[in-house]
Amino acid sequence: MTTDTTQTPPEQIVYSNMLFYGCWGSLALMAATYLLYVLGVLTPHVPLDTVTQLWSQPVKVYLAKGNVPTGWGWFKLIGQGAFINFTGIVLLAGMTILCYIPLVGAYFKKKEPIFAVIAILEIVVLLVAASGLVASGGH
């Protein structure tokens, strides 16, 4: 019979709790904003009849005829039906960044500056990647 005395560090518990509740909260936000869109509470940016006409067209045609922005341009249209859905997606995609933030303070407090710097670098790398500043042309 063995006894396991290994304890999970508190910063890992904070990270996992934030990730768990943040992901579920993001999914709930996606469902709620989708319902706002589907039920017609918010006006869509591109009318549904226009969307169905453009389905068979190349994406560039849809973007041009629908006056749909690319990249972070959607943020200007956040109050419209189709774009409010992006809030939950962005929150879900950004949960890792948000979860790293308390780790920085926790590692400095524990006098583990190397881990704190790694967490800071991770945040910076993820923010730069999400910003679109370094376009690789893959998407």
Side-chain angles (χ1 to χ4, degrees):
M1 184 167 128
T2 61
T3 57
D4 187 9
T5 59
T6 305
Q7 292 207 351
T8 305
E11 63 274 8
Q12 288 183 15
I13 293 172
V14 169
Y15 178 91
S16 65
N17 284 339
M18 283 182 68
L19 191 60
F20 178 81
Y21 292 111
C23 288
W24 280 108
S26 299
L27 292 172
L29 181 61
M30 280 192 273
T33 56
Y34 180 71
L35 284 175
L36 291 174
Y37 172 60
V38 169
L39 297 175
V41 174
L42 297 173
T43 308
H45 179 69
V46 180
L48 292 178
D49 59 332
T50 305
V51 169
T52 56
Q53 292 171 1
L54 297 174
W55 274 346
S56 61
Q57 301 297 316
V59 113
K60 288 184 180 184
V61 173
Y62 170 77
L63 294 174
K65 290 196 176 191
N67 195 26
V68 176
T70 58
W72 283 93
W74 67 270
F75 197 73
K76 295 180 285 192
L77 305 171
I78 200 166
Q80 297 183 358
F83 292 98
I84 196 166
N85 298 331
F86 290 5
T87 56
I89 295 167
V90 168
L91 182 59
L92 182 62
M95 280 312 303
T96 299
I97 298 169
L98 295 175
C99 293
Y100 266 99
I101 293 170
L103 293 180
V104 174
Y107 286 135
F108 277 128
K109 187 176 180 181
K110 287 177 68 174
K111 300 196 186 317
E112 295 179 343
I114 293 174
F115 287 124
V117 169
I118 290 171
I120 291 168
L121 291 173
E122 185 71 29
I123 292 167
V124 169
V125 166
L126 290 171
L127 285 173
V128 169
S131 73
L133 293 173
V134 183
S136 66
H139 297 293

